[in-house]
Amino acid sequence: MQLLISFINYALNLIYPNVCGICNRLSKEDLCKKCEIRLNKIAKFKIDIYTDKYFRKHLYIFKYEGIIKEKLTDFKFNEKAYVYKGFVNFVLKNKKFCRFLKSYDIIIPVPIHKNRKLVRGYNQSSLIARELASSCNILYKNNILIKKINNKPQSTKNKEERIQNVIGAYVIQNKELILNKKVLILDDIYTTGSTLNECAKVLKMNGAKLVDVITIAKD
Ligand SMILES: [Zn+2]
């Protein structure tokens, strides 16, 4: 059995060799030293506070520009799922980060519609949220917040249209899991906050005690 597992790992490594999630060069780590230095120079780890939204805090790691914009676009639209590993690896090097995550009861990714998931093969926010949750030891659930309507991508809309576009798009299942809980929603990019605000709204309407949000980048 052990031999079989070793063989499978060996074969997988030939098909999917370990590369740095950012520069795509072969690397033992999911983030090479060069890219770590590069990301360190531009990382923000900033928290914005909102009083006019259903969520309160927004933590973002980077501004949505340059290499970050390029990599998040690859991650989302160019079927480069491995990119998330570089980001996750970088974020986890920040010692304060797990402490921040642990102040919540549960982490929930912004869902995509099942039809879009069939096309893309993965939900980019789930990959990141699941990995962060397991590394920082907090509860991760992707069966609570569900995308019911397959609306047009937010990236094709202006600010006003984005607000309208997401209304009623999300529903809650298994609501007992969020009752009186502190919930953290994760998305890849924050633009106008309409998607996250709509998600926070349905979570709060269904009993969440408080909702905050985290994104890799802020536009
Ligand atoms: Zn690299």
Side-chain angles (χ1 to χ4, degrees), residues 26-39:
L26 286 173
S27 159
K28 280 199 189 104
E29 303 278 326
D30 297 324
L31 179 70
C32 75
K33 206 69 206 157
K34 246 183 172 173
C35 290
E36 187 189 337
I37 293 167
R38 201 168 165 199
L39 294 188

Side-chain angles (χ1 to χ4, degrees), residues 44-61:
K44 304 277 181 224
F45 285 100
K46 188 170 183 301
I47 295 177
D48 288 342
I49 307 282
Y50 291 92
T51 53
D52 59 341
K53 296 195 189 294
Y54 288 94
F55 58 83
R56 186 186 51 148
K57 285 183 192 168
H58 168 219
L59 169 73
Y60 61 95
I61 319 294

